[in-house]
């Protein structure tokens, strides 16, 4: 009994457990290789139960990248709705000296103490090629082990394709962070101001104007545009509302961070004495620290009209400033159109609140009359 207790204490000791954590992880290396059971259902319904994991890797996407670099984009995705989607390449000839067609299922996971990349393999008859009696088991394990070591980190096409397919928001964030680092000593220095909002924020007005860079990804390219912010406003919807009141409903919508709509009015004539047709995109932010309403502007060729050298920059800022100051608060059609289009459940709550507020107000009036 004493010996058993000693064994248990040994394996649960924090010092011993720490030894299993990955330390000093480097590119093109992996730690221990683990063979385990994993339930995976193929199209035919058969379960492939064997999985090989390479632990302590620099990225959990190693095997996915290796397959992409050598055999192109995956054929299908399994478990995409989970946080551990699996990429499948069907009927690939992995070895030059063997014509057997092999299907590879690649996936991995990144944890605080350990990243792993892994794969499963089966042939055309759904035979598990990682079972103990498979002649391919050791060959496949060696193949991917050497591939991790030889991986060319300069090839980045996989990451672009992967994130745009699986999580465009994350790809946009990756591009933004890389670009921000690249340009941190030049254009990515945002215009900072020591000014603070003097509360309360006035309706139909703003306290000062700032400029910043708006970063977006268009067809895998990073696009940087200039954005004008009207700071300390009563509502972040001002630029959207005044454009709606003047030109009707927006023509297009794009999404910032995949969930926040940016409204776009295309080819609008803003000035009577200028034949140029303008495209205006509106946005805004309401937070505990600040509230601003903003816009971007482009010509018919999508040139940025808010850059420093633009001949229209001052005129466009003055134009939008006047629209905000002359906003008619009694015109409410924009809000109904916006909320019912993008957040119908929220719009239902707003209508219910307005109905109750009106009923209580009428009740108070009747009480006063009596």
């Amino acid at each position: 009994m004493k010996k058993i207790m000693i064994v248990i204490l040994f394996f649960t000791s924090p010092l011993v457990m720490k030894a299993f954590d990955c330390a000093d992880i480097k590119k093109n290396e992996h730690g221990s290789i683990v063979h385990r059971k994993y339930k995976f259902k193929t199209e035919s319904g058969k379960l492939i139960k064997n999985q090989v994991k390479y632990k302590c890797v620099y990225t959990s996407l190693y095997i996915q990248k290796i397959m992409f670099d050598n055999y192109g984009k995956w054929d299908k995705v399994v478990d995409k709705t989970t946080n551990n989607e699996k990429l499948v390449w069907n009927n690939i000839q992995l070895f030059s000296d063997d014509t057997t067609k092999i299907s590879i299922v690649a996936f991995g996971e990144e944890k605080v103490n350990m990243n792993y990349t892994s794969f499963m393999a089966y042939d055309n008859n759904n035979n598990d090629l990682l079972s103990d009696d498979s002649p391919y088991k050791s060959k496949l394990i060696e193949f991917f082990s050497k591939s991790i070591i030889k991986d060319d980190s300069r090839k980045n096409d996989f990451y672009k394709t992967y994130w745009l397919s699986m999580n465009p928001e994350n790809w946009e964030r990756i591009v933004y962070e890389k670009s921000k680092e690249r340009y941190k000593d030049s254009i990515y220095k945002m215009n900072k101001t020591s000014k603070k909002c003097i509360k309360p924020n006035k309706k139909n007005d703003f306290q000062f104007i700032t400029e910043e860079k708006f970063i977006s990804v268009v067809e895998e390219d990073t696009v940087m545009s200039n954005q004008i912010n009207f700071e300390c406003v009563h509502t972040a919807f001002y630029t959207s509302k005044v454009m709606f009141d003047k030109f009707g409903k927006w023509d297009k919508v794009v999404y910032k961070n995949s969930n926040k709509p940016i409204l776009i009015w295309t080819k609008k004539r803003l000035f009577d004495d200028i034949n140029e047709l303008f495209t205006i995109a509106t946005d805004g932010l309401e937070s505990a620290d600040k509230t601003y309403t903003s816009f971007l502007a482009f010509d018919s060729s999508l040139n940025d009209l808010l850059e420093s050298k633009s001949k229209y920059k001052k005129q466009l800022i003055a134009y939008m400033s006047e629209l905000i100051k002359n906003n008619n608060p009694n015109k409410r059609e924009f809000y109904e159109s916006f909320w019912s289009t993008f957040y119908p459940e929220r719009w239902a709550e707003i209508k219910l609140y307005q109905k109750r507020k009106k009923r209580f107000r009428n009740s108070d009036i009747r009480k006063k009359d009596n």
Side-chain angles (χ1 to χ4, degrees):
M1 179 62 71
K2 290 183 179 179
K3 290 183 179 179
I4 294 175
M5 290 180 66
I6 291 172
V7 171
I8 293 173
L9 288 171
F10 177 78
F11 279 102
T12 56
S13 165
L15 293 175
V16 175
M17 291 300 293
K18 190 173 182 180
F20 288 96
D21 292 346
C22 299
D24 193 26
I25 298 174
K26 298 179 180 179
K27 292 182 179 180
N28 298 89
E29 292 183 2
H30 63 78
S32 60
I33 300 174
V34 179
H35 183 202
R36 58 166 288 197
K37 299 293 183 182
Y38 192 98
K39 290 185 178 180
F40 175 73
K41 197 172 184 179
T42 65
E43 292 179 351
S44 64
K46 186 174 180 179
L47 291 172
I48 306 299
K49 297 182 179 180
N50 290 282
Q51 172 200 13
V52 169
K53 295 169 64 173
Y54 300 86
K55 302 173 74 173
C56 303
V57 290
Y58 186 76
T59 171
S60 62
L61 296 172
Y62 259 140
I63 292 181
Q64 297 93 310
K65 180 180 183 296
I66 290 165
M67 291 298 296
F68 180 94
D69 289 348
N70 289 282
Y71 306 103
K73 190 175 179 180
W74 52 91
D75 296 305
K76 64 177 180 179
V77 181
V78 181
D79 294 339
K80 189 175 181 180
T81 57
T82 69
N83 291 326
N84 195 14
E85 66 274 348
K86 300 164 183 62
L87 307 185
V88 183
W89 282 261
N90 288 321
N91 303 322
I92 302 294
Q93 182 179 337
L94 291 181
F95 309 111
S96 59
D97 60 345
D98 191 328
T99 59
T100 300
K101 300 295 184 180
I102 299 174
S103 293
I104 298 294
V105 182
F107 59 105
E109 188 175 5
E110 299 197 0
K111 298 181 178 180
V112 175
N113 296 323
M114 181 185 69
N115 299 339
Y116 75 81
T117 185
S118 70
F119 75 98
M120 296 183 286
Y122 52 95
D123 63 18
N124 284 338
N125 296 318
N126 282 332
N127 293 313
D128 185 355
L129 300 183
L130 295 178
S131 61
D132 291 336
D133 58 351
S134 170
Y136 290 96
K137 179 180 177 180
S138 59
K139 196 172 183 178
L140 285 164
I141 293 173
E142 183 182 8
F143 171 81
F144 284 111
S145 179
K146 289 182 177 179
S147 297
I148 290 172
I149 295 170
K150 294 179 180 179
D151 175 62
D152 187 351
S153 59
R154 294 171 298 179
K155 290 185 176 181
N156 292 311
D157 291 346
F158 163 74
Y159 296 110
K160 186 183 296 184
T161 303
Y162 175 81
W163 287 116
L164 285 173
S165 299
M166 302 299 165
N167 192 334
E169 178 184 349
N170 198 47
W171 172 247
E172 186 172 341
R173 180 185 62 81
I174 292 170
V175 171
Y176 171 80
E177 291 299 330
K178 287 184 177 180
S179 300
K180 188 175 180 181
E181 181 67 23
R182 189 182 306 127
Y183 296 106
K184 66 180 180 180
D185 294 326
S186 54
I187 63 173
Y188 267 95
K189 282 188 175 178
M190 303 299 185
N191 288 355
K192 295 183 179 180
T193 176
S194 59
K195 294 182 180 179
K196 293 183 178 180
C197 297
I198 303 172
K199 295 184 178 180
N201 295 335
K202 294 182 179 180
K203 292 184 178 181
N204 289 16
D205 204 353
F206 54 90
Q207 294 182 18
F208 54 91
I209 296 173
T210 60
E211 300 178 35
E212 67 176 276
K213 295 295 179 183
F214 180 88
I215 298 94
S216 59
V217 179
V218 179
E219 294 181 355
E220 304 181 6
D221 293 324
T222 305
V223 179
M224 297 165 289
S225 307
N226 291 278
Q227 176 177 300
I228 297 296
N229 300 331
F230 298 93
E231 303 277 359
C232 311
V233 290
H234 184 70
T235 171
F237 284 121
Y238 268 144
T239 50
S240 299
K241 180 181 182 298
V242 295
M243 287 296 294
F244 181 96
D245 290 349
K246 190 170 183 66
F247 298 103
K249 192 172 182 178
W250 51 89
D251 300 303
K252 295 180 180 180
V253 179
V254 296
Y255 288 87
K256 186 177 183 179
N257 299 328
S258 295
N259 56 19
K260 188 173 184 291
I262 296 176
L263 310 182
I264 301 175
W265 283 262
T266 61
K267 298 181 180 179
K268 302 301 178 186
R269 187 172 182 181
L270 303 185
F271 309 104
D272 293 336
D273 57 343
I274 299 176
N275 292 326
E276 180 67 60
L277 297 179
F278 298 87
T279 291
I280 302 294
T282 61
D283 193 15
L285 173 70
E286 293 188 14
S287 68
D289 299 325
K290 63 164 142 181
T291 300
Y292 67 77
T293 186
S294 62
F295 80 101
L296 299 91
F298 308 91
D299 62 16
S300 54
S301 300
L302 295 182
N303 295 309
D304 183 1
L305 298 181
L306 296 177
E307 65 167 348
S308 58
K309 296 180 181 180
S310 170
K311 64 180 180 180
Y312 294 116
K313 180 178 180 178
K314 291 183 178 179
Q315 195 170 0
L316 285 165
I317 294 174
Y319 176 85
M320 195 63 70
S321 300
E322 286 303 308
L323 287 182
I324 291 173
K325 292 178 179 179
N326 294 316
N327 169 56
N328 182 356
N330 294 322
K331 297 183 72 172
R332 311 292 296 176
E333 292 86 352
F334 163 75
Y335 297 108
E336 179 175 357
S337 183
F338 178 87
W339 288 110
S340 61
T341 299
F342 301 108
Y343 307 100
E345 293 182 359
R346 174 62 177 151
W347 174 240
E349 293 175 357
I350 292 172
K351 287 197 298 182
L352 181 61
Y353 168 78
Q354 291 174 340
K355 185 177 180 180
R356 288 175 176 172
K357 185 177 179 181
K358 183 178 180 181
R359 185 171 71 246
F360 290 139
R361 185 170 61 246
N362 292 337
S363 176
D364 291 340
I365 293 174
R366 285 195 296 270
K367 286 179 181 179
K368 288 180 181 181
D369 292 340
N370 293 332

